[in-house]
Amino acid sequence: MRWPRPTARGWSLAIGGLALTVAGVGIGSAELIRLGLLGPVAALIGGGWLLIVDPTRGRHPLRVRRTVAPNPVSVRAPATARVELRAADASGRARLAELHLAEQAATQLSGGLTLRARVVRAPGLVTVTYPIHPTRRGRWPLGPLVVHRTDPFGVARIQATLGEQAEVVVWPEVAELAIPTGGLLGEYARVALGAHTPSSDDAALRDYREGDDLRRVHWASSARHGALLVRSDERSGLRPASVLIDLPKERGAIEWTVALGASMGIALLGAGHPVRLLGGRVTEGTVSIDPGTRLHHLREGAAREELLDLTVDLEPAPTELAAQEDLLAAARELTSPGAGVALVLAVLGSLSVATRGALAGVGDVTDALAVVRVPSAAGVERREAEHTLAALRRAGWRACAASPGEDLDVCWRRLLGTHR
């Protein structure tokens, strides 16, 4: 149970009244004693009144409903939070009146700035609306609502929290990267996987299902049959792709790496490639789960959202040894018999000799492209990154250097223009 606390005025009245009371006792003045007792009594009456109108008390407590739209939201994309504080009966409306409201939000949602809210009051309802500006990928808390109220004399104050926390999911900020006509490698985007790729004239048709791309609708056949029909083999011959992400330790470089990897995956999805994400770690409680141990072949329609969801909780491995083990496991996965990987895109840092050798084998069995983070400052880390870049190129990768924080589209176009 929350108890009222005196305000500055309340403390002044109480202390001043007690001083007068002591003085009245000392000189034997009943009038001065009665006058002195007025201060403490007023403070007690104010506190008692606040207990009656305490917003957390009553048979029908105030109800809080919090929504964020859109949710999930991307870094630096606008979103709006709305909080509704509603009273169900007359006593609740009395507790709701004259409440002062304050909303709590993680600094990753407010950018460290004070939230400026619009408050609308109606009988039995208070609505608070304010914009949020996400600055970092992750899952961030919003709320609970902090309410406080003072008594009519201004001598006591009570504060409480109402409602539960809401969670705002923040995706990385991605760029719309263009896939060149004819595919990433200047070849056809289709490959013969055990059979010749059928022409569009031989496409089998099936009934339209919710979520299908309307560009796949075969309008002529749909008109003849009186129902929407789509080409069922529209994507059957497209090259399966994997996006490999090697996360560094620096926070800024982590976010840039995740954003570039997610942008690559979305570009591949937009071109029709089945995509999976490898690398990084997702922490759930005290258990670390490598998302690369599960294939994430993303469904059409929800593919973009699913891929972005996979990136929300990605964090680097806790140690350099663990990070190396993750990359070695990914290399084994990509080169294993029957892996079915025809295209690999990677965002990598400086690699150990063992990791370079393992990833060199990827270039032998599939088409592979990589962006290697090369620090701008001279030093050991820069030399190791340059050795990594040279080793990948010798192994048949198309690889280019980039600095964390660089424009993603510029980096992507440089990668596409790089030869083996």
Side-chain angles (χ1 to χ4, degrees), residues 15 48 87 129 146 190 201 204 211 219 263 309 314 325 329 335 344 346 353 370 372 399 411 415:
I15 295 173
T129 306
V146 178
R190 295 181 177 275
D201 295 334
W219 296 106
S263 299
D309 285 342
L314 287 181
E325 291 173 349
T335 56
V344 174
V353 174
V372 179
C411 179
L415 177 62

Side-chain angles (χ1 to χ4, degrees), residues 304-319:
R304 180 188 179 102
E305 289 77 10
E306 288 191 32
L307 188 146
L308 289 172
D309 285 342
L310 290 174
T311 67
V312 170
D313 301 307
L314 287 181
E315 292 295 332
T319 64

Side-chain angles (χ1 to χ4, degrees), residues 28-52:
S29 173
E31 290 79 5
L32 196 58
I33 293 174
R34 285 194 294 269
L35 181 61
L37 289 176
L38 287 178
V41 169
L44 289 175
I45 292 174
W49 185 84
L50 287 179
L51 286 176
I52 296 173

Side-chain angles (χ1 to χ4, degrees), residues 223-294:
R224 286 196 301 270
H225 290 81
L228 287 179
L229 299 174
V230 297
R231 299 178 179 89
S232 62
D233 72 331
E234 182 74 14
R235 299 179 182 265
S236 61
L238 293 174
R239 301 158 63 90
S242 293
V243 177
L244 175 61
I245 298 177
D246 171 32
L247 294 180
K249 293 296 183 184
E250 301 79 14
R251 176 50 58 184
I254 290 173
E255 301 308 316
W256 181 84
T257 299
V258 172
L260 179 56
S263 299
M264 289 177 171
I266 289 172
L268 291 169
L269 287 169
H273 297 269
V275 176
R276 63 173 173 172
L277 188 64
L278 295 173
R281 293 196 172 198
V282 179
T283 302
E284 296 180 354
T286 57
V287 181
S288 293
I289 302 172
D290 180 4
T293 61
R294 303 185 299 276

Side-chain angles (χ1 to χ4, degrees), residues 85-419:
L85 186 59
R86 189 180 298 272
D89 56 9
S91 64
R93 287 191 290 272
R95 296 194 303 274
L96 184 58
E98 303 302 327
L99 278 180
H100 297 277
L101 310 175
E103 176 75 325
Q104 301 182 93
T107 56
Q108 292 83 358
L109 297 177
S110 64
L113 303 176
T114 302
L115 297 174
R116 296 185 178 274
R118 178 173 178 264
V119 180
V120 177
R121 293 182 181 270
L125 175 66
V126 176
T127 303
V128 181
T129 306
Y130 58 92
I132 58 175
H133 307 281
T135 58
R136 204 176 107 187
R137 170 185 59 94
R139 302 177 188 273
W140 309 114
L142 197 63
L145 193 66
V146 178
V147 297
H148 60 89
R149 186 171 185 173
T150 57
D151 70 289
F153 305 113
V155 297
R157 181 175 184 268
I158 194 168
Q159 179 173 301
T161 57
L162 295 177
E164 302 294 332
Q165 281 188 340
E167 182 181 78
V168 181
V169 177
V170 180
W171 288 334
E173 183 181 22
V174 298
E176 299 297 330
L177 307 179
I179 299 288
T181 304
L184 286 175
L185 303 174
E187 304 166 350
Y188 291 104
R190 295 181 177 275
V191 293
L193 299 177
H196 294 290
T197 302
S199 68
S200 58
D201 295 334
D202 298 328
L205 301 178
R206 61 168 173 80
D207 291 335
Y208 174 84
R209 293 193 292 266
E210 184 177 358
D212 284 336
D213 190 340
L214 290 177
R215 291 174 296 182
R216 295 175 55 192
V217 174
H218 195 284
W219 296 106
S221 298
S222 297
R224 286 196 301 270
H225 290 81
L228 287 179
L229 299 174
V230 297
R231 299 178 179 89
S232 62
D233 72 331
E234 182 74 14
R235 299 179 182 265
S236 61
L238 293 174
R239 301 158 63 90
S242 293
V243 177
L244 175 61
I245 298 177
D246 171 32
L247 294 180
K249 293 296 183 184
E250 301 79 14
R251 176 50 58 184
I254 290 173
E255 301 308 316
W256 181 84
T257 299
V258 172
L260 179 56
S263 299
M264 289 177 171
I266 289 172
L268 291 169
L269 287 169
H273 297 269
V275 176
R276 63 173 173 172
L277 188 64
L278 295 173
R281 293 196 172 198
V282 179
T283 302
E284 296 180 354
T286 57
V287 181
S288 293
I289 302 172
D290 180 4
T293 61
R294 303 185 299 276
L295 297 184
H296 294 291
H297 292 284
L298 303 175
R299 302 189 308 274
E300 183 183 7
R304 180 188 179 102
E305 289 77 10
E306 288 191 32
L307 188 146
L308 289 172
D309 285 342
L310 290 174
T311 67
V312 170
D313 301 307
L314 287 181
E315 292 295 332
T319 64
E320 292 293 337
L321 180 59
Q324 177 175 309
E325 291 173 349
D326 288 347
L327 287 175
L328 292 174
R332 289 193 295 270
E333 169 68 24
L334 293 171
T335 56
S336 63
V341 178
L343 180 63
V344 174
L345 274 75
V347 186
L348 305 171
S350 57
L351 305 177
S352 66
V353 174
T355 310
R356 291 177 206 162
L359 288 179
V362 175
D364 294 333
V365 299
T366 186
D367 293 316
L369 300 88
V371 173
V372 179
R373 295 185 302 272
V374 177
S376 55
V380 175
E381 188 175 353
R382 180 181 176 87
R383 290 196 297 272
E384 290 300 315
E386 290 172 345
H387 291 331
T388 296
L389 184 63
L392 291 175
R393 286 173 173 170
R394 287 194 300 269
W397 286 64
R398 290 175 59 178
C400 73
S403 299
E406 183 178 357
D407 182 85
L408 300 183
D409 186 61
V410 171
C411 179
W412 174 249
R413 284 188 276 111
R414 184 189 309 127
L415 177 62
L416 296 184
T418 301
H419 299 284

